[in-house]
Amino acid sequence: MEKKKEFKVAVAGYGHVGKDTVKTIIENNSIMEKRTGIKLTIKTIFSRNIDKVKDDKFLDKIEIKTKDLNDILNDNDIDIVIEVLGGMDTAKELLMKTNKPVVTANKALLANCFGELIKNRKTDIAFEASVAGAIPIIKAMKESLVSDRMENVYGILNGTCNYILTNMTKNNLDFKDVLKDAQDKGYAEADPTFDIDGIDTAHKLCILSSIAFCSVINFDKIFIRGIRNIILDDIVFASELGLTIKLIAEAALDNNDNAYIYVIPTLLNDKNMLSKVDYAFNAITVVGDRSGDTVFYGSGAGGRPTSSAIVSDAVTLARNSLITDELRIPILGFVEENKELKVKDFKEKNETFYVRFKSNNNNLLAFNEAFYDINIEKSVERNGNFMFVLKDVNINSIIKAIESVEKIEDIFIAKIK
Amino acid sequence: MEKKKEFKVAVAGYGHVGKDTVKTIIENNSIMEKRTGIKLTIKTIFSRNIDKVKDDKFLDKIEIKTKDLNDILNDNDIDIVIEVLGGMDTAKELLMKTNKPVVTANKALLANCFGELIKNRKTDIAFEASVAGAIPIIKAMKESLVSDRMENVYGILNGTCNYILTNMTKNNLDFKDVLKDAQDKGYAEADPTFDIDGIDTAHKLCILSSIAFCSVINFDKIFIRGIRNIILDDIVFASELGLTIKLIAEAALDNNDNAYIYVIPTLLNDKNMLSKVDYAFNAITVVGDRSGDTVFYGSGAGGRPTSSAIVSDAVTLARNSLITDELRIPILGFVEENKELKVKDFKEKNETFYVRFKSNNNNLLAFNEAFYDINIEKSVERNGNFMFVLKDVNINSIIKAIESVEKIEDIFIAKIK
């Protein structure tokens, strides 16, 4: 077997993450070589806007700077491709066409095309950077928990949402004011839809649940609610109950090995480590039947932390490129797909829920009666806002009960964990 | 290359961890095989007391049960050895003599003999289970943070100490009462020396710092203080400062790449995630120059969680046994040792410290004067206990200053982080 020690890398994409990846590989090359014996050399950088980059001392060190994707696809000298383009089209073209091992941070692409990507490729894909930045959650689930039945995986996977919720909670602020502040400070996009509606969180959950349950999860099977219609009253009510609201992504098995996979605002007890995760940080709890609860916490985004995950993946792919298929760790962490896995509708899963809705026409009693066969833990009316804590009930039943009294205009439902 | 899929395992040791390891391998074999394509079969169990084990449905399934270590050493049919003996002598004999890959949970052995073990062996050693039970901190440091300069690694690594400190803090109890309670409940040993004097914590720190700094760290270089002489007044004083006392193991680089490696009670700010880690749980923060702060939290001990780490290591060794030396991940996570690393004396490192000592003969003023060239943040006298918060000072200077007034009888020094 060849004793290859130097690997040529192409970086596709030269935005925030691309720049930091190039910087990390160049600046920390000696640390990496000391640890791994492997040397990564960036040969090519691809970017549609490469002409516009000025005064970049790292870019100056790269042999090929190109606007033509073929300069990566057709170069047999390149060993590993790092895809940090963002967006779907060019990234998908690159991943489908190249015959090199690819590191990607593209959670949207993975969540939507995992099955297709894996089926059509002979070489390896690594994607630690697609979920929770520098936190090594993918490797932990794929390699460290191989003997565990992962019963439950849940986490805070979107820094923007967590920044907004933390700020609302700590400073008693309204959603809109915090969102504007987050946009001004660059924590939230001008169009924050993907973040605040839970789509980004669900993309990451799609990847995590595929690994946890040994099945390629169809993104459409995920129930998604974001934080757009949360109000300060919800935060205050939660805090009166001694709970903290977080946007939680969760994948859980029931006793019959059916899966529920969902993103929903969740009220957490202060004994739960995730209730302590503030501002832009991410954290994931994995519950294994052997390992118990393990929590992974860290920077969920940002070029620098993401580059750490990307580079370690590149080293893994460098090693793997010389290892036979049978010995390589499988792309999603399983060799045999769990075809029996049934993803059930979260709207029919019984849980404890917090529910708030507006009503001008009815009194608390009418709603209490509508919930007559549901275990009501708490019910309050404040300025036309009706707030309930309901036990052992599902979302479909809640909505049906409220609609039996009145058409719902504005409803906020959160899980209580 | 051989497509070997079934690996024969020998388990040496049949105490708590040994039993749970056997149980996990047998009960979760189908999960493991689905994930990895690798099947582990236990062929042999070694234990000096194997005759005394009765009514054990798992043991009944094992082909060879033996009191003779040679039944492992001389059996060419065995692929991987799992060492969960505890103690030093037999474990060391096994690790030095066997030519098989070995999984070990033996932190004391590793901390004391790492250099010797690595030098004398041709095959792989894996030891995830030696530090913090199921938490995959070893793999994360060896593989996921390869491009990071790990500047600081610190954690709560001993469940017994953390159980005692948490109980003192939450229930306003004295050290001795909590220790007795912990012993009654089985959380602490009859002879708790290794735990409460920080030795066990230091063993684990020796392993973590070796990986962080790419050098085999000599255990004797570690500064160690335990929690034996902590009193309730310390807890109360810390809480008045808004801080929580934990026994922290820390390995830190200074700006000149010198290392400080120490175990010391530490007062943590409530913004530090480790301040939230209660009772028998463990957690480690790794600070990388790229990744930032990443925290790993989970069950630090117990047969079941430890077995999760052991079995994933066994799978790694199974894969590695068919991979050439050059491609295998190095035992301690580096191929080239950092020979320049200088481990400096923590007693000479300037930090912020909390200091408490008894004195009947002197007044607060005398000690304030003794600290005349030290930045005193706070000074209090309560019932003959003198308590100080001192900034930018080292332990040697503190002791010298106090001794200039009076011989010290009982001194408690904690770092403030």
Side-chain angles (χ1 to χ4, degrees):
Chain A
M1 186 163 280
E2 198 189 351
K3 288 190 192 181
K4 187 160 183 170
K5 294 290 187 182
E6 188 177 348
F7 291 80
K8 297 252 170 74
V9 173
V11 178
Y14 203 61
H16 268 317
V17 175
K19 280 178 188 165
D20 274 309
T21 300
V22 170
K23 208 172 154 192
T24 294
I25 292 175
I26 293 174
E27 286 184 342
N28 283 13
N29 221 321
S30 67
I31 292 179
M32 251 184 297
E33 221 181 325
K34 186 176 275 183
R35 290 226 178 88
T36 67
I38 288 167
K39 189 178 166 65
L40 301 180
T41 306
I42 303 166
K43 183 182 180 187
T44 307
I45 291 179
F46 162 87
S47 165
R48 299 261 187 241
N49 304 312
I50 200 79
D51 296 342
K52 292 177 193 148
V53 183
K54 301 271 176 249
D55 300 325
D56 184 314
K57 65 173 179 167
F58 295 102
L59 199 61
D60 292 346
K61 299 185 184 182
I62 310 301
E63 190 185 331
I64 301 172
K65 288 147 282 202
T66 180
K67 297 164 81 170
D68 184 355
L69 204 59
N70 290 311
D71 287 341
I72 293 178
L73 293 172
N74 301 332
D75 186 345
N76 289 326
D77 192 35
I78 290 169
D79 299 298
I80 293 158
V81 176
I82 292 173
E83 184 276 303
V84 281
L85 291 158
M88 294 280 277
D89 296 347
T90 314
K92 190 170 177 184
E93 190 191 343
L94 178 60
L95 263 74
M96 296 300 269
K97 285 191 181 163
T98 181
N99 57 353
K100 321 279 186 198
V102 181
V103 180
T104 177
N106 200 324
K107 56 241 171 189
L109 180 64
L110 295 173
N112 286 293
C113 313
F114 237 138
E116 198 183 346
L117 286 171
I118 292 175
K119 204 185 291 172
N120 286 285
R121 288 177 54 74
K122 288 280 165 265
T123 52
D124 221 346
I125 310 177
F127 47 91
E128 186 65 76
S130 66
V131 180
I135 305 170
I137 182 68
I138 306 279
K139 191 180 272 283
M141 290 176 70
K142 279 175 59 175
E143 298 177 38
S144 297
L145 296 165
V146 288
S147 69
D148 276 83
R149 178 182 187 268
M150 290 185 232
E151 297 166 345
N152 196 327
V153 177
Y154 65 98
I156 295 165
L157 299 175
N158 181 281
T160 305
C161 288
N162 207 47
Y163 179 88
I164 291 171
L165 293 176
T166 304
N167 242 313
M168 289 181 74
T169 306
K170 296 220 186 264
N171 306 314
N172 264 346
L173 293 170
D174 268 325
F175 177 77
K176 278 173 194 168
D177 298 332
V178 178
L179 175 60
K180 201 187 161 301
D181 169 64
Q183 285 170 323
D184 291 345
K185 286 186 176 150
Y187 288 121
E189 306 282 337
D191 176 4
T193 307
F194 256 47
D195 291 320
I196 67 174
D197 289 342
I199 317 290
D200 174 78
T201 302
H203 285 149
K204 294 162 180 169
L205 180 62
C206 188
I207 297 167
L208 294 182
S209 53
S210 295
I211 300 170
F213 305 145
C214 301
S215 278
V216 175
I217 300 294
N218 186 334
F219 182 72
D220 299 335
K221 297 270 185 185
I222 300 178
F223 172 90
I224 310 169
R225 293 232 175 182
I227 61 167
R228 193 186 283 272
N229 65 338
I230 194 167
I231 61 174
L232 189 54
D233 282 338
D234 300 322
I235 305 269
V236 171
F237 186 82
S239 123
E240 286 167 9
L241 298 171
L243 304 171
T244 304
I245 302 186
K246 299 287 180 189
L247 183 65
I248 295 289
E250 184 158 15
L253 286 185
D254 69 10
N255 292 335
N256 303 316
D257 280 342
N258 297 314
Y260 290 93
I261 309 176
Y262 47 96
V263 176
I264 188 166
T266 302
L267 281 61
L268 298 174
N269 193 291
D270 70 356
K271 287 195 180 116
N272 193 314
M273 287 297 277
L274 266 51
S275 74
K276 323 286 187 193
V277 174
D278 287 332
Y279 298 105
F281 285 92
N282 282 194
I284 302 111
T285 302
V286 182
V287 185
D289 69 339
R290 306 285 148 173
S291 53
D293 288 28
T294 307
V295 183
F296 303 79
Y297 164 98
S299 296
R304 226 174 144 84
T306 305
S307 79
S308 166
I310 287 170
V311 176
S312 70
D313 267 356
V315 169
T316 300
L317 292 190
R319 283 201 182 99
N320 282 1
S321 66
L322 303 178
I323 295 174
T324 54
D325 275 1
E326 293 77 27
L327 288 173
R328 211 178 285 149
I329 291 151
I331 290 175
L332 270 169
F334 53 85
V335 289
E336 187 195 322
E337 183 152 12
N338 180 5
K339 291 282 185 204
E340 301 89 52
L341 184 79
K342 193 169 169 184
V343 180
K344 297 187 81 177
D345 184 357
F346 181 67
K347 290 210 285 300
E348 291 177 359
K349 186 173 199 281
N350 280 20
E351 293 283 352
T352 301
F353 286 103
Y354 160 69
V355 183
R356 187 249 316 145
F357 51 92
K358 264 234 169 309
S359 176
N360 298 315
N361 305 321
N362 294 285
N363 57 31
L364 191 56
L365 196 61
F367 291 111
N368 270 303
E369 276 170 11
F371 290 132
Y372 74 98
D373 59 353
I374 295 168
N375 192 343
I376 304 175
E377 281 263 299
K378 213 174 172 86
S379 63
V380 174
E381 189 265 312
R382 281 180 194 161
N383 316 316
N385 278 321
F386 291 76
M387 294 156 154
F388 287 83
V389 173
L390 304 169
K391 269 188 96 163
D392 195 26
V393 63
N394 61 58
I395 290 177
N396 278 342
S397 306
I398 293 170
I399 290 174
K400 211 170 123 191
I402 299 171
E403 286 190 331
S404 73
V405 178
E406 183 187 49
K407 186 91 194 115
I408 305 169
E409 276 174 43
D410 171 28
I411 184 166
F412 177 74
I413 300 184
K415 190 182 148 183
I416 299 183
K417 193 174 173 77
Chain B
M1 186 162 280
E2 197 190 354
K3 288 190 190 180
K4 186 160 185 172
K5 294 290 187 183
E6 188 177 348
F7 291 79
K8 297 252 171 73
V9 173
V11 178
Y14 203 61
H16 268 317
V17 175
K19 280 178 188 165
D20 273 309
T21 300
V22 169
K23 206 172 155 191
T24 294
I25 293 175
I26 293 174
E27 285 183 341
N28 284 13
N29 222 320
S30 67
I31 292 178
M32 251 184 297
E33 221 181 324
K34 185 176 276 182
R35 292 228 178 87
T36 66
I38 287 167
K39 189 178 166 63
L40 301 180
T41 307
I42 303 166
K43 184 183 179 188
T44 306
I45 291 179
F46 161 87
S47 165
R48 299 261 188 239
N49 304 312
I50 201 79
D51 297 342
K52 292 178 195 150
V53 182
K54 301 273 176 243
D55 300 324
D56 184 314
K57 64 174 178 165
F58 296 102
L59 199 61
D60 291 347
K61 298 185 184 181
I62 311 303
E63 191 186 329
I64 301 172
K65 287 147 283 201
T66 179
K67 298 165 80 169
D68 183 355
L69 204 60
N70 289 312
D71 287 341
I72 294 178
L73 294 172
N74 300 333
D75 186 346
N76 289 325
D77 190 35
I78 290 169
D79 298 298
I80 294 159
V81 176
I82 293 173
E83 184 276 302
V84 281
L85 291 159
M88 295 280 277
D89 295 347
T90 315
K92 190 169 177 185
E93 188 190 345
L94 178 59
L95 262 75
M96 295 300 269
K97 284 190 182 165
T98 182
N99 56 352
K100 319 281 185 196
V102 181
V103 180
T104 176
N106 201 324
K107 57 241 173 190
L109 179 64
L110 295 172
N112 286 293
C113 313
F114 237 138
E116 196 183 348
L117 286 171
I118 292 175
K119 203 185 293 172
N120 286 285
R121 289 176 55 75
K122 287 282 165 262
T123 53
D124 222 346
I125 312 178
F127 48 91
E128 186 65 77
S130 66
V131 180
I135 305 170
I137 182 66
I138 305 281
K139 189 180 274 284
M141 291 177 68
K142 279 175 61 175
E143 299 178 39
S144 298
L145 297 165
V146 288
S147 70
D148 276 83
R149 179 181 186 269
M150 290 185 231
E151 297 166 345
N152 195 328
V153 178
Y154 65 97
I156 295 165
L157 299 175
N158 182 281
T160 305
C161 288
N162 207 47
Y163 178 89
I164 291 171
L165 292 176
T166 304
N167 241 314
M168 288 181 75
T169 305
K170 295 219 187 264
N171 305 314
N172 264 345
L173 293 170
D174 269 325
F175 177 77
K176 277 174 196 169
D177 298 332
V178 179
L179 175 59
K180 201 187 161 305
D181 171 64
Q183 286 170 321
D184 291 345
K185 285 185 176 148
Y187 287 120
E189 306 281 338
D191 176 4
T193 307
F194 256 47
D195 292 318
I196 67 174
D197 288 343
I199 317 290
D200 173 77
T201 301
H203 284 149
K204 294 162 180 169
L205 179 62
C206 187
I207 297 169
L208 294 181
S209 54
S210 294
I211 299 170
F213 305 145
C214 302
S215 279
V216 175
I217 300 294
N218 187 334
F219 182 72
D220 299 334
K221 298 268 184 186
I222 301 178
F223 172 90
I224 310 169
R225 292 230 177 184
I227 60 167
R228 194 187 283 273
N229 65 338
I230 194 168
I231 60 174
L232 189 53
D233 282 335
D234 301 320
I235 305 269
V236 172
F237 186 81
S239 125
E240 286 166 9
L241 297 171
L243 304 171
T244 305
I245 303 186
K246 299 288 180 190
L247 183 66
I248 295 289
E250 184 157 15
L253 286 185
D254 70 11
N255 292 334
N256 302 317
D257 281 342
N258 298 313
Y260 291 93
I261 308 176
Y262 46 95
V263 176
I264 188 166
T266 301
L267 282 60
L268 297 174
N269 193 292
D270 70 357
K271 286 193 181 119
N272 193 315
M273 288 297 276
L274 267 49
S275 74
K276 322 287 187 192
V277 174
D278 288 332
Y279 298 106
F281 284 92
N282 282 194
I284 302 111
T285 302
V286 183
V287 186
D289 70 339
R290 306 286 148 172
S291 54
D293 287 28
T294 307
V295 183
F296 304 79
Y297 164 97
S299 296
R304 225 175 144 85
T306 305
S307 78
S308 167
I310 287 171
V311 175
S312 70
D313 267 355
V315 169
T316 300
L317 292 190
R319 283 202 183 97
N320 282 1
S321 66
L322 303 178
I323 295 173
T324 54
D325 275 1
E326 293 76 26
L327 289 172
R328 211 178 286 150
I329 291 151
I331 290 175
L332 269 169
F334 53 84
V335 290
E336 188 195 321
E337 184 152 11
N338 181 3
K339 292 282 185 201
E340 300 89 54
L341 184 79
K342 191 169 171 187
V343 179
K344 298 187 79 177
D345 184 357
F346 180 67
K347 291 208 286 297
E348 290 177 1
K349 186 171 198 284
N350 280 19
E351 294 283 351
T352 302
F353 286 103
Y354 160 69
V355 184
R356 187 248 317 143
F357 51 92
K358 265 233 170 311
S359 177
N360 298 315
N361 304 321
N362 294 285
N363 57 30
L364 192 55
L365 195 63
F367 291 111
N368 269 304
E369 277 169 13
F371 290 133
Y372 74 98
D373 59 354
I374 295 168
N375 192 343
I376 303 174
E377 282 263 298
K378 214 175 171 85
S379 61
V380 175
E381 189 265 314
R382 282 181 193 161
N383 315 316
N385 278 320
F386 290 75
M387 294 156 154
F388 287 83
V389 174
L390 305 170
K391 268 187 99 166
D392 196 25
V393 62
N394 61 58
I395 291 177
N396 278 342
S397 307
I398 293 170
I399 290 174
K400 210 170 123 190
I402 299 172
E403 287 190 331
S404 74
V405 179
E406 182 186 49
K407 186 92 193 113
I408 305 169
E409 277 176 41
D410 170 30
I411 185 167
F412 177 73
I413 300 184
K415 190 182 148 184
I416 299 183
K417 195 175 172 75

